[in-house]
């Protein structure tokens, strides 16, 4: 069964807009929540990550919001750029067992 | 430069043939992983290895085999028993153990069965 559910499957945003991708998890033992960015034909690369002791983490235009009680977390991309067009995966990990969401294909239109 | 090297990048195989995908890392990582990526399904774990000469099955190990004879190398063999082998295969590594965090990925190998 899928332990991390990600939505939407695809997202189209205008340049300068905000992109929001959501994830929900089931296992309360998860203690590390990364987001990976993947360009076509490449391997995923870590974008930003959070641990459950904080509710928000910001790095440049990228922010993770974390709601422990709802078992949900989300990625916000502010001022989205065409270069942000990629597939984004959320993940959740416990004891080095990492589970991935199905991915969101983001397209940022110029 | 440190990183993970996967080869070949593209591979074509006839049905009934075994094929081996190479993964080499120079990051001095203890743990190595193989994931399979299919459209709309995210990344699914095939096998992982925490130390040399030891490896464990992941969620979709059937039809695959691995070895870990050296710390730097973790090859994956896709056998003829794998019913639907056409996919994008990703190798990853990290230092292993609890609270390790980030996985580092290679650039992937795309296998197509003709």
């Amino acid at each position: 069964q899928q332990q991390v559910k990600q939505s939407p499957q695809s997202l189209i945003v205008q340049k300068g807009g905000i992109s929001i991708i959501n994830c929900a998890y089931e296992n309360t033992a998860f203690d590390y929540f990364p987001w990976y960015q993947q360009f076509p034909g490449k391997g995923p690369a870590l974008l930003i990550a959070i641990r459950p002791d904080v509710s928000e983490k910001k790095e440049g235009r990228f922010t993770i919001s974390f709601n422990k009680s709802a078992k949900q977390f989300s990625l916000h991309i502010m001022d989205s750029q065409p270069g942000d067009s990629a597939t984004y995966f959320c993940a959740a990990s416990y004891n080095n067992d990492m589970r991935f969401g199905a991915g969101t294909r983001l397209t940022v239109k110029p | 430069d440190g990183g993970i090297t996967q080869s070949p990048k593209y591979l074509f195989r006839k049905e009934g043939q075994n094929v081996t995908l190479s993964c080499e890392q120079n990051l001095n990582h203890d743990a190595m992983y193989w994931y399979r990526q299919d459209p709309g399904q995210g990344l699914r774990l095939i096998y992982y290895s925490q130390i040399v000469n030891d490896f464990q099955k992941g969620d979709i190990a059937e039809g695959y085999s691995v070895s870990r004879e050296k710390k730097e190398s973790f090859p994956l063999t896709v056998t003829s028993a794998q019913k639907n082998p056409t996919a994008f295969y990703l190798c990853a590594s990290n230092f292993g153990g609890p609270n390790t965090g980030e996985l580092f990925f290679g650039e992937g190998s795309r296998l197509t069965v003709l």
Side-chain angles (χ1 to χ4, degrees):
Chain A
Q1 71 279 15
Q2 194 172 14
Q3 295 194 35
V4 180
K5 295 184 179 179
Q6 183 172 346
S7 63
Q9 187 174 358
S10 63
L11 180 62
I12 300 174
V13 175
Q14 290 294 129
K15 178 182 176 181
I18 302 173
S19 303
I20 302 174
I21 305 171
N22 300 299
C23 283
Y25 62 96
E26 298 173 358
N27 187 350
T28 56
F30 288 138
D31 60 4
Y32 176 71
F33 301 88
W35 284 89
Y36 283 84
Q37 180 188 54
Q38 184 182 31
F39 293 104
K42 303 292 186 182
L46 180 68
L47 186 63
I48 187 173
I50 198 168
R51 294 203 183 263
D53 52 343
V54 296
S55 60
E56 185 175 283
K57 183 174 181 181
K58 184 176 181 179
E59 292 183 359
R61 296 184 294 110
F62 302 92
T63 300
I64 297 179
S65 297
F66 185 80
N67 186 330
K68 189 174 182 178
S69 61
K71 295 188 286 185
Q72 295 176 346
F73 58 110
S74 60
L75 175 69
H76 295 235
I77 306 175
M78 311 299 288
D79 187 26
S80 298
Q81 300 297 312
D84 297 330
S85 297
T87 298
Y88 293 81
F89 293 96
C90 63
S93 176
Y94 169 69
N95 200 24
N96 216 25
D97 180 8
M98 190 170 293
R99 301 288 166 164
F100 288 85
T104 296
R105 188 168 186 171
L106 171 65
T107 302
V108 181
K109 291 196 169 183
Chain B
D1 290 334
I4 299 175
T5 301
Q6 290 188 240
S7 63
K9 193 169 178 66
Y10 299 96
L11 186 61
F12 297 89
R13 186 195 97 176
K14 293 182 179 179
E15 282 191 18
Q17 290 180 336
N18 293 355
V19 62
T20 298
L21 308 180
S22 170
C23 178
E24 302 277 334
Q25 54 97 1
N26 60 3
L27 299 168
N28 199 32
H29 285 163
D30 291 309
M32 297 187 73
Y33 309 80
W34 275 105
Y35 287 89
R36 171 178 171 142
Q37 184 176 9
D38 296 283
Q41 294 196 49
L43 280 67
R44 293 182 291 167
L45 183 64
I46 304 172
Y47 267 99
Y48 65 99
S49 168
Q50 301 282 13
I51 56 172
V52 174
N53 292 322
D54 185 56
F55 48 83
Q56 306 295 330
K57 292 181 179 180
D59 297 324
I60 57 165
E62 184 175 351
Y64 300 97
S65 66
V66 294
S67 63
R68 186 87 186 275
E69 297 177 1
K70 299 187 301 181
K71 184 175 183 178
E72 301 80 15
S73 179
F74 191 40
L76 173 74
T77 297
V78 185
T79 75
S80 57
Q82 169 49 236
K83 296 282 187 276
N84 184 20
T86 294
F88 190 53
Y89 291 89
L90 287 160
C91 179
S93 70
N94 63 13
F95 286 108
N99 298 318
T100 300
E102 181 179 1
L103 277 176
F104 294 82
F105 285 89
E107 296 215 327
S109 292
R110 185 168 296 280
L111 172 63
T112 302
V113 174
L114 304 173

